[in-house]
């Protein structure tokens, strides 16, 4: 307990005043040692989970990652294009708390699902508050859907459809040619057989049976 000297003593003795100030300083230092509140607001790791969708052939569009490689002292990252993302951040100090895009998340647990905008990028923040309740650090991740990749997949789908239609049309044309040549008697039985089986042969008037 700090005892303040009588007012009369403080006014008449500078030594007593110095003693009082020293007691206050020692009390503050003792309080700081007792509280032991950490100011560490760093992250030790961040794991990214995402869904990038598939291309027209059913394969993955890309790799789920962020750049640069995570470091507790690097605070800005770019996430590979994704349909949705989730973060699993872990604080360096057990007493620190954190939020992901404004929502509280327990250290080492997966965050809520986040859906980035299509054709553009948006910043999503992981904010860490140290045990002392005042020290904070913000890690920013820029994410978005890859409009170009989706457009490429769409174009691939359209082109694939056109190729299929062309092949079907060619099949119809081949059968029509076979029918016409057979009715006209321009092709021999061997030629007709080749046409039926998908072979190719130049038709000549001399092939007439």
């Amino acid at each position: 307990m700090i005892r303040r000297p009588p007012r009369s003593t403080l006014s008449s003795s500078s030594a007593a005043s110095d003693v009082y100030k020293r007691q206050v300083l020692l009390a503050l230092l003792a309080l700081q040692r007792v509280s032991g509140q950490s100011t560490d607001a760093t992250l030790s790791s961040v794991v990214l989970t995402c869904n990038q969708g598939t291309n027209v052939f059913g394969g993955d569009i890309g790799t789920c990652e962020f750049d640069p490689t995570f470091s507790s002292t690097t605070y800005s990252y770019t996430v590979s294009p994704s349909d949705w993302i989730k973060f699993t951040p872990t604080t360096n100090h057990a007493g620190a708390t954190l939020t992901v895009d404004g929502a509280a998340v327990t250290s080492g647990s997966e965050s809520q699902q986040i859906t980035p905008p299509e054709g553009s990028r948006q910043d999503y923040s992981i904010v860490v508050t140290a045990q002392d309740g005042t020290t904070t650090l913000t890690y920013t991740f820029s994410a978005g859907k890859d409009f170009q990749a989706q457009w490429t997949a769409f174009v691939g789908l359209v082109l694939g459809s056109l190729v299929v239609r062309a092949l079907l049309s060619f099949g119809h044309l081949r059968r029509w040619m076979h029918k016409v040549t057979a009715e006209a008697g321009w092709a021999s039985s061997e030629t007709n057989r080749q046409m039926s089986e998908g072979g190719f042969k130049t038709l000549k008037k001399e092939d007439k049976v």
Side-chain angles (χ1 to χ4, degrees):
M1 178 178 180
I2 302 174
R3 294 185 178 180
R4 181 185 181 92
R7 191 175 297 276
S8 59
T9 305
L10 287 175
S11 60
S12 61
S13 174
S14 59
S17 178
D18 290 340
V19 170
Y20 173 70
K21 292 178 180 178
R22 194 178 304 113
Q23 288 178 329
V24 172
L25 179 59
L26 290 174
L28 291 175
L29 291 175
L31 180 61
Q32 185 176 5
R33 286 196 299 270
V34 170
S35 63
Q37 299 294 305
S38 171
T39 59
D40 186 354
T42 61
L43 290 173
S44 60
S45 67
V46 175
V47 177
L48 175 67
T49 305
C50 70
N51 177 25
Q52 298 179 302
T54 56
N55 57 31
V56 67
F57 303 107
D60 293 335
I61 292 177
T63 304
C64 181
E65 59 187 3
F66 52 79
D67 184 63
T69 302
F70 180 79
S71 169
S72 60
T73 56
T74 302
Y75 307 107
S76 182
Y77 300 89
T78 300
V79 179
S80 55
S82 308
D83 290 340
W84 57 259
I85 54 177
K86 293 180 181 180
F87 297 99
T88 303
T90 302
T91 58
N92 194 49
H93 190 275
T97 58
L98 55 84
T99 61
V100 176
D101 195 30
V105 175
T106 302
S107 176
S109 299
E110 193 173 65
S111 73
Q112 73 278 19
Q113 181 173 301
I114 299 171
T115 304
E118 184 173 332
S120 62
R121 286 193 166 271
Q122 182 172 323
D123 289 342
Y124 300 95
S125 298
I126 299 177
V127 180
V128 185
T129 303
Q131 189 181 37
D132 65 359
T134 57
T135 306
T136 62
L137 280 177
T138 300
Y139 295 81
T140 303
F141 296 80
S142 174
K145 293 181 181 179
D146 191 351
F147 178 77
Q148 183 177 0
Q150 294 183 352
W151 173 251
T152 301
F154 172 74
V155 172
L157 181 62
V158 172
L159 291 178
S161 176
L162 291 176
V163 169
V164 171
R165 293 173 68 90
L167 290 175
L168 291 175
S169 297
F170 177 74
H172 289 304
L173 177 62
R174 187 177 61 184
R175 286 193 296 271
W176 177 80
M177 290 178 61
H178 170 66
K179 180 179 179 182
V180 170
T181 55
E183 290 178 352
W186 288 359
S188 64
S189 58
E190 176 64 18
T191 302
N192 290 336
R193 185 184 65 79
Q194 292 181 2
M195 290 287 289
S196 300
E197 294 176 356
F200 295 91
K201 183 175 180 180
T202 303
L203 302 179
K204 298 181 179 180
K205 199 84 171 182
E206 290 76 16
D207 288 333
K208 183 176 180 181
V209 178

